[in-house]
Amino acid sequence: MSEVLLATFRCDAMVLALPVEVVLEVLGDQSLEPVPRAPGAVIGLISLRGRILAVTDVRARMGLPDGRQPDPAFYVVETGDELEVLRVDRAGEVLSVHPDQAIAVPDTTPAAIAAQLDGAFHVADQLVLVVDLKRILDAGED
């Protein structure tokens, strides 16, 4: 099997990742338009080149306390024919991993976080948790 590329980001002390093929763009801090009575962790809307996109707060989806960072990053992701946005604490780097390096999500991972994950890798002395994009976005509709 060939190498897998992961786009990493941070939320709280965790290193999280998505497959690079679903990440179209990483943006700096954005001005959000509020959405009254928005479901779950949908925290607002942004306009990106004429398209209105929903923004999901990854911290909220993971059940983490509201600890907004001064310079969050916004990951524009593709889900089939749709574009959506994930707000994270800080952008990371692109990692190349081999599928054989995959490990199970640790049993000590809180349930609210583990429910949003698709797997994990141990890379350069850090645990990288791979986010299941469909689950984290679907959960935003709770």
Side-chain angles (χ1 to χ4, degrees), residues 54-78:
V55 179
T56 298
D57 186 355
V58 173
R59 284 186 77 89
R61 287 302 320 129
M62 297 284 183
L64 297 170
D66 186 15
R68 293 205 180 111
Q69 301 300 313
D71 295 310
F74 292 76
Y75 278 50
V76 180
V77 295
E78 185 173 32

Side-chain angles (χ1 to χ4, degrees), residues 11-13 48 61 103 121-122 129:
C11 276
D12 204 36
L48 182 65
R61 287 302 320 129
I103 61 173
F121 289 90
H122 192 258
L129 301 170

Side-chain angles (χ1 to χ4, degrees), residues 119-130:
F121 289 90
H122 192 258
V123 180
D125 294 330
Q126 67 182 356
L127 179 63
V128 178
L129 301 170
V130 180

Side-chain angles (χ1 to χ4, degrees), residues 4-70:
V4 175
L5 295 176
L6 299 173
T8 66
F9 53 91
R10 290 194 175 266
C11 276
D12 204 36
M14 295 182 296
V15 178
L16 301 167
L18 289 165
V20 293
E21 59 268 12
V22 301
V23 179
L24 299 181
E25 191 169 353
V26 179
L27 307 171
D29 200 6
Q30 298 291 304
S31 175
L32 298 175
E33 291 297 321
V35 181
R37 297 185 299 274
V42 175
I43 56 170
L45 302 171
I46 65 168
S47 176
L48 182 65
R49 291 184 285 284
R51 290 184 73 172
I52 304 300
L53 305 176
V55 179
T56 298
D57 186 355
V58 173
R59 284 186 77 89
R61 287 302 320 129
M62 297 284 183
L64 297 170
D66 186 15
R68 293 205 180 111
Q69 301 300 313

